[in-house]
Amino acid sequence: MTEPRTRSYDALNPVDQFPGVVRRTLVSGDRITFVEIRIAPGSEVPEHTHPHEQVGHVASGRVHFRIGEIDQELGPGDSYLIPGDVPHHVVALDAVTLIEAFSPVREEFADD
């Protein structure tokens, strides 16, 4: 069972996910991983899939998402749901910060 804990933002490890895309794992437990993604203007997360359900919130900036058959621009305050195994692709229209949660745990993110 996961023990309660807190993490200071200054202590988080920034990971260069793709060119212009930096991920920080905010916290991870037994069943969920919570991350921040910062994407530089014009940078992208290439199309990919994973078995995890993914939910997110656009904290700042504008971003273009392609999630399965959905093609949509999102801005501050907007949110999204990506079911497991659905192809998705992201392009930052300007500097963007996304806050995302994954379930089950993204083991490859959990120790960052």
Side-chain angles (χ1 to χ4, degrees):
M1 175 177 241
T2 301
E3 294 294 322
R5 67 178 176 274
T6 63
R7 295 186 77 190
S8 169
Y9 188 82
D10 292 337
L12 300 179
N13 181 32
V15 175
D16 292 324
Q17 190 83 17
F18 303 101
V21 179
V22 176
R23 173 182 44 80
R24 286 177 175 83
T25 298
L26 301 171
V27 70
S28 193
D30 288 339
R31 292 176 286 220
I32 195 164
T33 301
F34 194 48
V35 302
E36 174 195 78
I37 308 287
R38 292 190 182 203
I39 309 174
S43 295
E44 66 182 275
V45 176
E47 183 175 289
H48 65 285
T49 63
H50 45 74
H52 311 84
E53 187 171 56
Q54 176 179 348
V55 295
H57 169 79
V58 181
S60 64
R62 297 204 67 73
V63 65
H64 180 264
F65 267 92
R66 187 174 65 241
I67 303 168
E69 300 299 316
I70 296 172
D71 228 350
Q72 190 164 348
E73 186 176 312
L74 300 174
D78 293 340
S79 55
Y80 49 92
L81 167 68
I82 304 169
D85 298 318
V86 171
H88 50 288
H89 173 258
V90 180
V91 177
L93 303 175
D94 47 50
V96 67
T97 299
L98 306 174
I99 305 299
E100 300 184 329
F102 297 86
S103 181
V105 169
R106 289 288 302 253
E107 295 292 339
E108 70 274 30
F109 294 179
D111 293 330
D112 293 343

